[in-house]
Amino acid sequence: MAPDKNRATAAAILPLVGGAQNITSVAHCMTRLRLGLADRSLVDDDALKALPAVLGVVEDDTYQIVLGPGTVARVTPELEAMVAESGGGAEPRPTTPDHAPTATELAAQGAALKAARKAKNATPFKLLLRRIANIFVPLIPALIGCGIIAGFNGLLVNLEWLPSITPALAAMASGFMALIAVFVGYNTAKEFGGTPILGGAVAAIIVYAGVADIEAFGQKLSPGQGGVLGALGAAVLATYIEKWCRRWVPEAVDVLVTPTLTVLIAGLVTIFGLMFLAGEVSTGIGTAADWLLDNTGAFAGLVLGGLFLPLVMLGLHQALIPIHTTLIEQQGYTVLLPILAMAGAGQVGCAIAVYKRLRRNTSIRTTIRSALPAGFLGVGEPLIYGVSLPLGRPFVTACVGGAAGGAFIGFFSMLGDKVGSTAIGPSGWALFPLLDGNENLGLTAAIYAGGLLVGYLVGFLATYFFGFSKQMLTDLNADVDAGESPTARAEAEPTPAKAPATA
C-alpha cells in the first residue's frame, strides 16, 4: 500500500471512530489497529467495515480494527500523526439499518457476543494476561524477521552454499534472541508503570556472561538462565522497588538513590533467586511440551487445535505467548504454534462450507469472498467475528476442523517428526517461511501442509453436514441483498397442485 493510500485509510478511519478527540490511545499488533476510545457510541461500525482496507473489527479492552499484517504497521503512524495534528473530532456518521439475515446482522450479533465476553473477561487474572501480551506482542516483528533469516541461513548451510555469508546471517538471526531478555525487561517495566530502562538494566543481568562465575543454590549460573520468564519477574520486581523508593526517598537525592537501590536490590534477588527458579520453570516447560507431544501427540494436538479458538474468545490464549517464547529460546522453535494454527484452517474450511450452503445469501457470501484470502494467510478475525461465531453452530464445526488438523500434526510428532515455528505471530500459509523441526525442512513443510489440508477438509465437511439446522437454512438462505426475505420467498414459490382425487 503506497504512503498516500496509508494516509487515506487513516483519514477514512478517523471520523468513523468519533474523531481525534475521541481517541485516548493508538497502538497496533500484528494485524490490528488498537484504539482507546473515550466514547464507544461515537463509532460507526458499519461504515468502518465497509472501508476497503478494513478486514473486520474486534471489541475487547480496546477497539481493534483488523487491517492485516504490513498494512497496520503503515496506517498506525499516519493515524497517530493525524490525532496529534487535529484538535477536534468529527461528527459520527449515521449507521444503516440492519436487514436480517445479512452479513451486517451477523457482525452485529458478533459484536454483542464480544461485548458480553468483554464484561466477563475483565477479571484480575485476564487483565494480567493482557498485560503480559502487551509485553511480548511488540517483540513479534523482530522474532519474525530473525526467524525467517534463521530459516534461510539453515537452508544455505544444508546446501553448503555461500559459506562466507552464512556466519553473518547466523549473527543477524541470533543477536536478537541472545538479548531478548533485555527487551522483555524494558517492556515489562513500561507496562507496569516503572522506568523502562531500569527494567532492561536488571533483565540484562540474566544474559551477562559474567554470571557464569556466580554460584546459587549450590550450582554455577549460566548466562541466559531463566530466559524471558526470569526477565519478566526481575523487571516486575524492579518496578515495585522503584515505586517504593519514589515514595520514601527525598526528592533532592531521588535521582541518585532510586535507580541505584532499584538495580541493586532487584539485581541481587535476580542473581541469587529468580535466575535459578525461572530456569527450573523454563526447563519444565520444554520438558512438558516434549513429553506431551512424544507420548500423547495426536490427542494433545486434537485438544489444542480444537480448543484454541475458545481460548481466544476467553482471552486465555495470551498466557501461551511467554510459553512460545521460552520454547523458541530453548529449542530454537515452538512446537505448539503449528498445532494451534490448525484452528485457522478449520475456520477456512468452515467458511467455504457456509459459502456453499448459503447460495442465495449474497451478503454473507460477499463477506466470505473478501475475508477468505486473509484467512488462508492466517488472519482469521473477519471469518470468526463476521461469519462463524455469530452463526453459532459453524463456529463449533470450525473448531472440529482445527482439532483434526492438530491431531494430524500431533500424530507425526509421536512418530518423531516434530514441526515447529521459529517465531510467533504468523499462521496459515504465512507460517511456511518460519517452519523448523528435527527433520529436514521438506518433510516439516509437508507435514504442516498436510495438517492444513486436513483442517480445511474436516472443517468443510463438519460445517456442510452438521453446521446448519433446517430452520437455519430456511432463515439464512435468502437473497437479502435483492430484498427477499425467507417468508417472501416461500410465498413466491408456487405450491404444487394436488392431483384430482380418483375413485
Side-chain angles (χ1 to χ4, degrees):
M1 186 179 288
D4 56 337
K5 290 186 178 180
N6 295 324
R7 188 164 183 82
T9 299
I13 289 174
L14 185 59
L16 300 180
V17 294
Q21 290 182 340
N22 195 40
I23 297 176
T24 59
S25 64
V26 180
H28 74 88
C29 60
M30 278 295 297
T31 60
R32 306 178 187 181
L33 171 64
R34 298 170 178 258
L35 302 178
L37 300 175
D39 187 350
R40 169 65 179 83
S41 65
L42 297 180
V43 178
D44 189 341
D45 296 291
D46 294 334
L48 272 173
K49 294 171 188 175
L51 294 177
V54 174
L55 302 176
V57 297
V58 179
E59 186 173 4
D60 196 16
D61 54 323
T62 55
Y63 189 79
Q64 303 168 16
I65 302 172
V66 184
L67 298 174
T71 302
V72 68
R74 292 168 173 81
V75 173
T76 301
E78 297 289 352
L79 185 67
E80 287 177 324
M82 291 181 181
V83 171
E85 294 169 2
S86 175
E91 291 296 323
R93 290 168 52 176
T95 59
T96 56
D98 296 335
H99 295 283
T102 64
T104 301
E105 182 189 69
L106 292 180
Q109 293 174 10
L113 291 171
K114 285 178 284 181
R117 278 195 308 277
K118 179 183 176 183
K120 293 180 181 178
N121 287 351
T123 64
F125 175 67
K126 291 174 183 175
L127 291 175
L128 174 62
L129 292 182
R130 288 174 187 166
R131 280 191 159 188
I132 292 174
N134 291 340
I135 293 166
F136 286 92
V137 165
L139 305 180
I140 290 178
L143 284 169
I144 293 173
C146 295
I148 291 177
I149 293 173
F152 179 63
N153 187 56
L155 181 63
L156 292 178
V157 170
N158 291 335
L159 296 174
E160 298 183 354
W161 290 355
L162 302 176
S164 61
I165 300 296
T166 51
L169 292 176
M172 297 175 198
S174 303
F176 173 74
M177 289 306 302
L179 297 174
I180 189 173
V182 179
F183 296 100
V184 170
Y186 184 96
N187 287 349
T188 300
K190 181 179 180 181
E191 178 66 24
F192 281 83
T195 301
I197 199 65
L198 290 180
V202 174
I205 297 170
I206 293 174
V207 296
Y208 175 56
V211 298
D213 299 324
I214 302 172
E215 188 175 294
F217 294 92
Q219 299 179 14
K220 287 283 188 180
L221 294 177
S222 301
Q225 185 173 342
V228 295
L229 298 182
L232 181 67
V236 169
L237 175 63
T239 298
Y240 281 103
I241 293 173
E242 180 190 359
K243 289 180 177 179
W244 181 86
C245 289
R246 299 291 184 199
R247 288 198 301 269
W248 295 101
V249 174
E251 292 183 7
V253 293
D254 178 73
V255 69
L256 298 174
V257 175
T258 296
T260 304
L261 289 179
T262 298
V263 175
L264 177 63
I265 298 173
L268 288 172
V269 174
T270 298
I271 292 171
F272 293 106
L274 282 177
M275 284 186 67
F276 176 82
L277 295 176
E280 293 299 302
V281 173
S282 299
T283 301
I285 289 173
T287 302
D290 288 338
W291 183 92
L292 189 67
L293 294 179
D294 289 345
N295 295 277
T296 66
F299 177 74
L302 183 143
V303 172
L304 291 171
L307 294 183
F308 183 63
L309 287 178
L311 286 178
V312 173
M313 300 300 102
L314 295 172
L316 298 177
H317 67 295
Q318 295 164 340
L320 297 172
I321 297 177
I323 295 176
H324 287 311
T325 310
T326 298
L327 290 174
I328 293 171
E329 265 192 319
Q330 288 185 338
Q331 304 174 358
Y333 53 83
T334 168
V335 293
L336 299 180
L337 185 60
I339 291 176
L340 300 176
M342 296 301 106
Q347 281 292 329
V348 169
C350 163
I352 296 173
V354 172
Y355 186 87
K356 292 292 185 182
R357 291 291 266 168
L358 303 184
R359 294 182 179 276
R360 297 176 63 86
N361 196 313
T362 56
S363 179
I364 295 177
R365 284 163 65 90
T366 299
T367 297
I368 293 173
R369 279 198 303 270
S370 64
L372 263 182
F376 278 114
L377 292 174
V379 183
E381 290 94 338
L383 292 177
I384 296 171
Y385 295 114
V387 181
S388 65
L389 181 62
L391 285 175
R393 284 172 65 163
F395 179 77
V396 176
T397 54
C399 292
V400 172
F408 180 89
I409 293 182
F411 174 75
F412 278 92
S413 184
M414 290 178 65
L415 299 179
D417 302 320
K418 292 184 179 178
V419 178
S421 170
T422 57
I424 57 177
S427 183
W429 294 359
L431 196 61
F432 276 105
L434 296 167
L435 291 178
D436 197 0
N438 61 339
E439 299 293 340
N440 66 78
L441 185 58
L443 179 59
T444 300
I447 295 173
Y448 180 71
L452 288 177
L453 291 175
V454 169
Y456 296 153
L457 181 60
V458 175
F460 175 86
L461 294 176
T463 305
Y464 193 90
F465 291 106
F466 304 106
F468 297 92
S469 65
K470 291 183 179 180
Q471 186 60 47
M472 287 176 67
L473 287 174
T474 301
D475 292 341
L476 292 167
N477 217 0
D479 189 0
V480 292
D481 284 351
E484 179 184 4
S485 67
T487 303
R489 190 187 67 197
E491 292 175 351
E493 291 177 349
T495 303
K498 292 183 180 181
T502 56

